[in-house]
Amino acid sequence: MKSTLLREITPLTQSDCFTLFSRIKSEFDFPLHYHEEFELNFILNAKNAKRVIGDHIEEIDELELVLVGSNLQHAWFTHHCKSKEIREITIQFHKDLFDERFLRRNQLSFIRTMLEKSLRGILFSKETTQQLAPRIMELNQKQGFDSVLELMSILHDLSISRNMRILSDASFNNTEQYTYNSRRIEKTLEYMNQNFDKPITLNEVARLANMSDAAFSRFFKQRTGNTFIDSLTEIRLGHASRMLIDTTQSIAEVAYHCGFNNISNFNRIFKKKKSCTPKDFRESFSGTRIFI
């Protein structure tokens, strides 16, 4: 499994609150992967498919709802599922959608606890899933601020629900946090997200953090688990993914608008990071994807 583990770069940008992807399919075909975003996954009509969350593996029932925390590996596999009409709704939101200080407020304590537990994966009870299924399926009909409020309301109701199951072993993902706890990192990531379409150098962002190039490189890798170059590449790929879904611009135009000056280099990096070509990625989005 480790050899096929994929780091997914989602199309969610810093300007979005969350994304919702709804589709009906005949099989699960996405490999074992992880990403920084939290993910709420609702699955209907997939009895006997196999779910992998961290180090936990089991066959699933007809209906399920799972919250996957930041950077926790996960996947669903067809396995023994015979259904040809699997309904899946995936909601992804940034790990900093809820500010850490905001989550310390008494009224948010249940959501805070749930997000902490989700770093090991949470399976909600059948009763809870049945109760919230209509709201999850209708979430894409809401717009703007109403949809954000509804997502928060759904998360709150999940956080106070009974009989939720923690899936992965405590030692599997116990080093992960869902905030960087560093204003310097937040400042540099914000700058990278705002200027991804332009050339950005290590010296440039190191000066923003008031550090030398070498010290900033070590600091950035320690806090994010990624090098500066890899993080910049992932930010650019995230925006490119979004443009491939949202626009009809050519792949070359998308590449140049996202800071890649060489189309063959863009294709090579995209395929290496996402295990498919930009063309295949664009064609794979046959379901409904919305960004809020």
Side-chain angles (χ1 to χ4, degrees):
M1 255 180 211
K2 289 285 185 185
S3 61
T4 59
L5 184 59
L6 171 71
R7 179 183 174 88
E8 183 188 3
I9 302 164
T10 71
L12 197 63
T13 72
Q14 288 298 311
S15 300
D16 303 312
C17 285
F18 70 92
T19 180
L20 182 150
F21 187 29
S22 175
R23 65 274 200 202
I24 296 175
K25 56 189 186 181
S26 60
E27 62 180 351
F28 293 99
D29 55 7
F30 202 72
L32 188 68
H33 64 286
Y34 67 101
H35 43 72
E36 284 198 343
E37 295 77 13
F38 284 84
E39 178 174 301
L40 185 64
N41 216 24
F42 170 80
I43 297 174
L44 178 65
N45 199 26
K47 187 176 178 64
N48 298 324
K50 182 169 68 175
R51 178 200 335 108
V52 178
I53 306 287
D55 61 358
H56 185 273
I57 303 173
E58 72 177 350
E59 286 191 1
I60 73 172
D61 209 341
E62 190 77 13
L63 175 78
E64 77 164 17
L65 182 62
V66 173
L67 180 61
V68 181
S70 178
N71 290 322
L72 178 62
Q73 66 181 45
H74 58 283
W76 279 258
F77 299 98
T78 306
H79 193 47
H80 298 311
C81 177
K82 305 299 184 186
S83 171
K84 296 302 177 186
E85 289 193 0
I86 300 167
R87 175 85 183 265
E88 184 174 32
I89 299 174
T90 302
I91 300 168
Q92 294 176 331
F93 56 94
H94 292 293
K95 65 180 185 178
D96 60 356
L97 177 61
F98 301 103
D99 180 78
E100 192 175 9
R101 287 171 294 183
F102 181 50
L103 286 173
R104 290 198 206 108
R105 269 54 174 193
N106 291 336
Q107 293 81 3
L108 277 293
S109 62
F110 288 104
I111 290 181
R112 183 184 70 241
T113 300
M114 180 179 71
L115 293 179
E116 290 170 351
K117 289 179 178 178
S118 75
L119 297 177
R120 295 167 56 189
I122 298 173
L123 173 68
F124 296 99
S125 71
K126 185 176 181 181
E127 293 72 25
T128 297
T129 303
Q130 288 173 331
Q131 181 182 3
L132 289 176
R135 292 171 62 191
I136 292 171
M137 289 189 283
E138 292 167 9
L139 184 57
N140 63 358
Q141 296 174 22
K142 294 186 176 291
Q143 296 181 344
F145 190 61
D146 287 340
S147 62
V148 178
L149 286 178
E150 178 65 357
L151 175 62
M152 289 181 66
S153 178
I154 288 170
L155 291 174
H156 173 70
D157 288 349
L158 288 173
S159 73
I160 61 174
S161 66
R162 302 178 62 182
N163 302 319
M164 62 177 76
R165 272 178 61 204
I166 308 298
L167 297 176
S168 186
D169 186 76
S171 63
F172 188 83
N173 204 33
N174 64 351
T175 60
E176 296 293 353
Q177 299 294 325
Y178 55 85
T179 56
Y180 293 122
N181 292 319
S182 170
R183 179 60 193 143
R184 285 175 172 176
I185 295 296
E186 290 173 6
K187 186 178 180 181
T188 54
L189 287 174
E190 183 179 355
Y191 179 81
M192 290 155 66
N193 269 290
Q194 290 175 347
N195 297 280
F196 66 91
D197 56 334
K198 308 178 186 74
I200 301 176
T201 65
L202 172 63
N203 180 257
E204 212 173 324
V205 292
R207 277 191 286 114
L208 271 179
N210 292 318
M211 300 174 75
S212 69
D213 292 8
F216 177 76
S217 286
R218 290 192 298 270
F219 178 72
F220 192 91
K221 179 70 183 290
Q222 181 184 37
R223 287 303 179 103
T224 68
N226 237 354
T227 67
F228 158 70
I229 290 297
D230 282 346
S231 290
L232 179 58
T233 298
E234 289 184 0
I235 287 170
R236 286 171 168 163
L237 286 176
H239 284 277
S241 301
R242 173 68 174 271
M243 290 183 70
L244 289 169
I245 296 169
D246 272 0
T247 75
T248 57
Q249 291 187 24
S250 71
I251 290 171
E253 287 174 320
V254 168
Y256 294 130
H257 286 159
C258 292
F260 295 94
N261 295 322
N262 183 302
I263 184 63
S264 60
N265 188 46
F266 171 66
N267 284 325
R268 179 182 59 79
I269 292 174
F270 194 99
K271 186 170 184 180
K272 180 182 178 183
K273 292 286 188 179
K274 299 184 79 68
S275 297
C276 66
T277 66
K279 182 175 182 289
D280 291 340
F281 178 84
R282 171 172 268 171
E283 291 174 352
S284 71
F285 280 88
S286 56
T288 302
R289 167 81 82 165
I290 64 168
F291 295 89
I292 301 297

